[in-house]
Short mmCIF file of all heavy atoms in Angstrom, two decimals:
data_model
loop_
_atom_site.label_atom_id
_atom_site.label_comp_id
_atom_site.label_asym_id
_atom_site.label_seq_id
_atom_site.Cartn_x
_atom_site.Cartn_y
_atom_site.Cartn_z
N SER A 543 -5.05 33.64 -38.75
CA SER A 543 -3.93 34.02 -37.88
C SER A 543 -2.87 34.65 -38.76
O SER A 543 -3.09 34.92 -39.95
CB SER A 543 -3.36 32.79 -37.17
OG SER A 543 -2.64 31.98 -38.08
N PHE A 544 -1.68 34.86 -38.18
CA PHE A 544 -0.55 35.34 -38.98
C PHE A 544 -0.18 34.33 -40.06
O PHE A 544 0.44 34.68 -41.06
CB PHE A 544 0.67 35.59 -38.10
CG PHE A 544 0.57 36.84 -37.28
CD1 PHE A 544 0.40 36.78 -35.91
CD2 PHE A 544 0.62 38.07 -37.89
CE1 PHE A 544 0.32 37.94 -35.16
CE2 PHE A 544 0.53 39.24 -37.15
CZ PHE A 544 0.37 39.17 -35.78
N TYR A 545 -0.53 33.06 -39.85
CA TYR A 545 -0.29 32.02 -40.83
C TYR A 545 -1.65 31.43 -41.21
O TYR A 545 -2.15 30.50 -40.58
CB TYR A 545 0.63 30.95 -40.27
CG TYR A 545 0.98 29.86 -41.26
CD1 TYR A 545 1.73 30.15 -42.40
CD2 TYR A 545 0.57 28.55 -41.07
CE1 TYR A 545 2.05 29.17 -43.32
CE2 TYR A 545 0.88 27.56 -41.98
CZ TYR A 545 1.62 27.87 -43.10
OH TYR A 545 1.93 26.89 -44.02
N ALA A 546 -2.27 32.00 -42.22
CA ALA A 546 -3.65 31.65 -42.57
C ALA A 546 -3.67 30.67 -43.73
O ALA A 546 -2.93 30.83 -44.71
CB ALA A 546 -4.43 32.91 -42.94
N ARG A 547 -4.55 29.67 -43.61
CA ARG A 547 -4.73 28.69 -44.68
C ARG A 547 -6.21 28.53 -45.01
O ARG A 547 -6.65 27.44 -45.39
CB ARG A 547 -4.13 27.34 -44.25
CG ARG A 547 -2.67 27.39 -43.87
CD ARG A 547 -1.78 27.73 -45.03
NE ARG A 547 -1.80 26.72 -46.06
CZ ARG A 547 -1.28 26.87 -47.28
NH1 ARG A 547 -0.72 28.02 -47.62
NH2 ARG A 547 -1.34 25.90 -48.16
N ASN A 548 -6.97 29.61 -44.85
CA ASN A 548 -8.40 29.53 -45.10
C ASN A 548 -8.81 30.33 -46.33
O ASN A 548 -9.91 30.86 -46.41
CB ASN A 548 -9.18 30.00 -43.87
CG ASN A 548 -8.92 31.46 -43.52
OD1 ASN A 548 -7.81 31.95 -43.69
ND2 ASN A 548 -9.92 32.15 -43.02
N GLY A 549 -7.92 30.40 -47.31
CA GLY A 549 -8.25 31.08 -48.54
C GLY A 549 -9.06 30.21 -49.49
O GLY A 549 -9.16 28.99 -49.32
N GLU A 550 -9.65 30.84 -50.49
CA GLU A 550 -10.28 30.09 -51.57
C GLU A 550 -9.18 29.37 -52.36
O GLU A 550 -8.13 29.97 -52.63
CB GLU A 550 -11.05 31.02 -52.50
CG GLU A 550 -12.20 31.75 -51.82
CD GLU A 550 -13.30 30.81 -51.37
OE1 GLU A 550 -13.77 30.00 -52.20
OE2 GLU A 550 -13.66 30.86 -50.18
N PRO A 551 -9.36 28.11 -52.72
CA PRO A 551 -8.28 27.39 -53.41
C PRO A 551 -7.97 28.00 -54.77
O PRO A 551 -8.88 28.35 -55.53
CB PRO A 551 -8.83 25.96 -53.55
CG PRO A 551 -10.31 26.10 -53.44
CD PRO A 551 -10.55 27.26 -52.52
N ASN A 552 -6.68 28.15 -55.05
CA ASN A 552 -6.27 28.62 -56.37
C ASN A 552 -6.71 27.62 -57.44
O ASN A 552 -6.95 26.45 -57.15
CB ASN A 552 -4.75 28.80 -56.41
CG ASN A 552 -4.28 29.87 -55.45
OD1 ASN A 552 -5.06 30.66 -54.95
ND2 ASN A 552 -2.98 29.89 -55.19
N ARG A 553 -6.77 28.10 -58.69
CA ARG A 553 -7.25 27.25 -59.78
C ARG A 553 -6.24 27.24 -60.93
O ARG A 553 -5.67 28.28 -61.28
CB ARG A 553 -8.57 27.78 -60.32
CG ARG A 553 -9.69 27.86 -59.31
CD ARG A 553 -10.57 26.66 -59.34
NE ARG A 553 -11.82 26.92 -58.64
CZ ARG A 553 -12.83 26.07 -58.58
NH1 ARG A 553 -12.75 24.93 -59.20
NH2 ARG A 553 -13.92 26.37 -57.92
N LEU A 554 -6.09 26.08 -61.53
CA LEU A 554 -5.32 25.93 -62.77
C LEU A 554 -6.25 25.40 -63.85
O LEU A 554 -6.86 24.33 -63.68
CB LEU A 554 -4.14 24.99 -62.58
CG LEU A 554 -3.30 24.71 -63.84
CD1 LEU A 554 -2.68 25.98 -64.39
CD2 LEU A 554 -2.22 23.66 -63.54
N TYR A 555 -6.36 26.16 -64.96
CA TYR A 555 -7.20 25.76 -66.08
C TYR A 555 -6.31 25.41 -67.28
O TYR A 555 -5.49 26.22 -67.71
CB TYR A 555 -8.14 26.89 -66.47
CG TYR A 555 -9.26 27.14 -65.48
CD1 TYR A 555 -9.14 28.15 -64.53
CD2 TYR A 555 -10.42 26.40 -65.50
CE1 TYR A 555 -10.16 28.40 -63.62
CE2 TYR A 555 -11.45 26.63 -64.61
CZ TYR A 555 -11.31 27.64 -63.66
OH TYR A 555 -12.32 27.87 -62.77
N ARG A 556 -6.50 24.20 -67.81
CA ARG A 556 -5.79 23.80 -69.02
C ARG A 556 -6.57 24.25 -70.24
O ARG A 556 -7.79 24.09 -70.33
CB ARG A 556 -5.63 22.27 -69.06
CG ARG A 556 -4.83 21.77 -70.27
CD ARG A 556 -4.81 20.26 -70.34
NE ARG A 556 -6.16 19.73 -70.52
CZ ARG A 556 -6.58 18.58 -70.01
NH1 ARG A 556 -5.77 17.86 -69.25
NH2 ARG A 556 -7.81 18.15 -70.24
N ASN A 557 -5.86 24.84 -71.18
CA ASN A 557 -6.44 25.27 -72.45
C ASN A 557 -6.47 24.06 -73.38
O ASN A 557 -5.43 23.50 -73.74
CB ASN A 557 -5.58 26.39 -73.04
CG ASN A 557 -6.22 27.07 -74.23
OD1 ASN A 557 -7.05 26.50 -74.92
ND2 ASN A 557 -5.81 28.30 -74.48
N ASN A 558 -7.67 23.65 -73.74
CA ASN A 558 -7.82 22.49 -74.61
C ASN A 558 -7.66 22.82 -76.09
O ASN A 558 -7.72 21.93 -76.95
CB ASN A 558 -9.20 21.85 -74.40
CG ASN A 558 -9.43 21.44 -72.97
OD1 ASN A 558 -8.53 20.92 -72.33
ND2 ASN A 558 -10.62 21.69 -72.46
N GLY A 559 -7.46 24.11 -76.37
CA GLY A 559 -7.39 24.56 -77.76
C GLY A 559 -8.62 25.37 -78.10
O GLY A 559 -9.74 25.04 -77.67
N GLY A 560 -8.42 26.46 -78.83
CA GLY A 560 -9.54 27.30 -79.23
C GLY A 560 -10.16 28.09 -78.10
O GLY A 560 -11.27 28.59 -78.23
N GLY A 561 -9.45 28.19 -76.97
CA GLY A 561 -9.97 28.99 -75.87
C GLY A 561 -10.98 28.27 -75.00
O GLY A 561 -11.75 28.91 -74.28
N ILE A 562 -10.99 26.93 -75.03
CA ILE A 562 -11.86 26.14 -74.17
C ILE A 562 -10.99 25.56 -73.05
O ILE A 562 -9.98 24.90 -73.31
CB ILE A 562 -12.56 25.01 -74.94
CG1 ILE A 562 -13.27 25.57 -76.17
CG2 ILE A 562 -13.52 24.26 -74.02
CD1 ILE A 562 -14.34 26.59 -75.84
N PHE A 563 -11.42 25.79 -71.79
CA PHE A 563 -10.58 25.44 -70.64
C PHE A 563 -11.21 24.35 -69.79
O PHE A 563 -12.44 24.23 -69.71
CB PHE A 563 -10.35 26.69 -69.77
CG PHE A 563 -9.50 27.74 -70.43
CD1 PHE A 563 -10.07 28.68 -71.29
CD2 PHE A 563 -8.13 27.80 -70.19
CE1 PHE A 563 -9.29 29.65 -71.89
CE2 PHE A 563 -7.35 28.76 -70.80
CZ PHE A 563 -7.92 29.69 -71.65
N THR A 564 -10.34 23.58 -69.13
CA THR A 564 -10.76 22.54 -68.18
C THR A 564 -10.01 22.73 -66.87
O THR A 564 -8.78 22.93 -66.88
CB THR A 564 -10.47 21.13 -68.74
OG1 THR A 564 -11.21 20.94 -69.95
CG2 THR A 564 -10.86 20.06 -67.72
#
Side-chain angles (χ1 to χ4, degrees):
S543 72
F544 285 110
Y545 182 65
R547 303 294 295 169
N548 63 325
E550 297 294 308
N552 297 345
R553 301 264 196 175
L554 177 61
Y555 289 97
R556 183 185 63 214
N557 190 335
N558 302 320
I562 307 299
F563 292 84
T564 299

